[in-house]
Amino acid sequence: MHEIRIGEDIRGKNREIAEENRNLLKKHDVFSLNLMSAPGAGKTSLLEKTLPRLMQRYRVAVIEGDLQTSRDAERVRAHGALVLQIETGDVCHLDAAMIHSALHQIDLDAIDILCIENVGNLVCPAEFELGVDGRVMLLSITEGDDKPKKYPLMFIESRLLILNKVDLLPHVDFDIGRARREAREMNPAIDIIEISCKTGEGIDAWIDWIEKFYRQSGGR
Amino acid sequence: MHEIRIGEDIRGKNREIAEENRNLLKKHDVFSLNLMSAPGAGKTSLLEKTLPRLMQRYRVAVIEGDLQTSRDAERVRAHGALVLQIETGDVCHLDAAMIHSALHQIDLDAIDILCIENVGNLVCPAEFELGVDGRVMLLSITEGDDKPKKYPLMFIESRLLILNKVDLLPHVDFDIGRARREAREMNPAIDIIEISCKTGEGIDAWIDWIEKFYRQSGGR
């Protein structure tokens, strides 16, 4: 009982700070996405495919969340984006306060789009709002088609589900129809895009999705 | 600061209960393993390969930890093992108290080996001892060879690292040498076995590992 109350206090406080983040980003006309997935589903690889395309038209910053190491930050930085690294230590998710501190280190008037790469974890990142325009989750098809009902909150809270590594479909037992159907049972409004960061399949659809959502959110 | 202190209180209490679990299991001569991995790395598939082999010689029980659904429990139960399901709701790991309650529902004199399948998460399960003889982690090679340094605690706390889905090696960029080297940098004593639940490769080595460790722990 005690633990649960602490949990709700922490999440309530997190929501307040997320709201501050939302207002701050809005004030500076920054469009923002929070990328979430299990470890190794391909968030960093997706950013590596995304940045060269987005940076042709927009000024982009990335916040990288990791328990340890700045490996992902270095991979992303190599593409010329402004990158801020948050090492969470033993904390299994980013929270709104971490993002708030990071935002104060970025010249928000100098960027159009902020991409946040959350810690690899299919559970807790879904519980902590960061104050972004939209949450995007990746599911690698190697993780299995049974995940929507096993990790429902992540699917419920996301606006877009990206099914990654579809190049491996011939080699694994993954029923795309089942994954799509169960994701929609969890969240009827969720968009779904199939991609492969390896072959480039679906990257156009993902860039289109970002640009459409950006315009809907008042972006240019 | 406040959050950190709460965290340590919770983990200290968890350690006490884990010690009780350890004593209880020892008293009833039950050998126990805690299987941990990211979502979709193949814990349930591994149990499905393992149970028919182990159950030829030992009486086996399984505790299944999931946020939601009893899908994994049903898969495992189909193999005839005694299965107890723990649905954690929004808790991203099993803790010692959950296992303690489960142990009181099992006739411990009627089993030799207890396998616990933790919640799919590469972070928090490593922080919560359950009181078992050994922790075993699975890393699917589709998750990438950079994981040991990014999620160090899981590798540090495990006695065995199972590299699963090696049948997919021809189709993904995964450097087995790098993964082995970095896992050993985190934990020089860790055993490493390569397996494929799909082809059956390495399952013999895994069963041998269990039996050897069981005997070392005083089992028959």
Side-chain angles (χ1 to χ4, degrees), chain A residues 76-95:
Chain A
V76 170
R77 196 171 282 128
H79 294 272
L82 170 71
V83 181
L84 230 97
Q85 169 80 44
I86 299 175
E87 282 192 38
T88 64
D90 61 357
V91 179
C92 60
H93 57 271
L94 293 175
D95 66 26

Side-chain angles (χ1 to χ4, degrees), chain B residues 26-74:
Chain B
K26 198 164 209 78
K27 189 176 139 192
H28 293 275
D29 292 322
V30 176
F31 173 71
S32 55
L33 297 172
N34 173 9
L35 294 182
M36 307 181 293
S37 79
K43 296 183 296 304
T44 313
S45 297
L46 181 62
L47 282 175
E48 290 185 297
K49 289 282 180 192
T50 306
L51 291 173
R53 297 281 297 270
L54 282 187
M55 290 170 71
Q56 291 171 13
R57 298 193 48 195
Y58 313 104
R59 298 166 301 167
V60 184
V62 177
I63 296 177
E64 280 289 338
D66 281 296
L67 297 183
Q68 303 270 331
T69 82
S70 55
R71 287 182 167 179
D72 292 350
E74 286 155 23

Side-chain angles (χ1 to χ4, degrees), chain A:
Chain A
M1 220 35 217
H2 189 54
E3 268 187 64
I4 291 166
R5 254 189 302 125
I6 292 167
E8 285 181 358
D9 283 356
I10 290 174
R11 278 180 248 172
K13 182 71 188 161
N14 184 75
R15 265 191 298 274
E16 284 173 27
I17 303 174
E19 203 49 39
E20 289 176 28
N21 293 347
R22 195 183 310 282
N23 292 336
L24 189 63
L25 291 164
K26 198 163 210 76
K27 189 176 141 193
H28 293 275
D29 292 323
V30 176
F31 173 71
S32 55
L33 296 173
N34 173 10
L35 293 183
M36 307 182 292
S37 79
K43 296 183 295 303
T44 312
S45 297
L46 181 64
L47 282 173
E48 291 184 297
K49 288 283 178 189
T50 307
L51 291 172
R53 298 282 296 271
L54 282 187
M55 290 170 69
Q56 291 172 14
R57 300 192 48 194
Y58 312 103
R59 299 166 301 167
V60 184
V62 177
I63 296 177
E64 279 289 339
D66 280 296
L67 297 183
Q68 304 269 331
T69 83
S70 56
R71 288 181 168 183
D72 292 350
E74 286 154 23
R75 284 172 60 189
V76 170
R77 196 171 282 128
H79 294 272
L82 170 71
V83 181
L84 230 97
Q85 169 80 44
I86 299 175
E87 282 192 38
T88 64
D90 61 357
V91 179
C92 60
H93 57 271
L94 293 175
D95 66 26
M98 296 176 196
I99 297 302
H100 198 77
S101 301
L103 293 182
H104 282 302
Q105 298 173 55
I106 297 174
D107 178 0
L108 295 174
D109 288 324
I111 63 169
D112 304 306
I113 297 179
L114 171 67
C115 296
I116 300 172
E117 179 179 340
N118 220 307
V119 177
N121 179 343
L122 215 45
V123 187
C124 307
E127 295 172 13
F128 287 83
E129 275 182 61
L130 303 180
V132 299
D133 289 296
R135 299 193 233 187
V136 172
M137 71 163 291
L138 278 79
L139 178 70
S140 162
I141 60 113
T142 58
E143 293 169 40
D145 52 28
D146 60 342
K147 294 299 169 288
K149 291 204 171 168
K150 288 179 69 180
Y151 298 86
L153 190 64
M154 183 67 74
F155 291 82
I156 291 167
E157 295 290 350
S158 295
R159 178 181 278 256
L160 172 66
L161 164 62
I162 295 180
L163 295 170
N164 190 18
K165 308 194 191 180
V166 292
D167 59 289
L168 293 175
L169 275 173
H171 310 293
V172 298
D173 299 320
F174 185 92
D175 180 339
I176 287 260
R178 181 191 186 195
R180 284 179 165 271
R181 195 166 56 244
E182 295 200 351
R184 290 242 159 84
E185 280 175 40
M186 295 294 106
N187 177 355
I190 200 166
D191 292 327
I192 303 175
I193 298 176
E194 297 170 19
I195 70 163
S196 164
C197 289
K198 196 162 181 182
T199 66
E201 179 183 343
I203 299 295
D204 284 347
W206 154 241
I207 300 292
D208 289 348
W209 186 91
I210 297 175
E211 296 195 326
K212 188 174 162 199
F213 181 22
Y214 183 32
R215 284 192 302 272
Q216 282 172 357
S217 305
R220 61 192 171 81

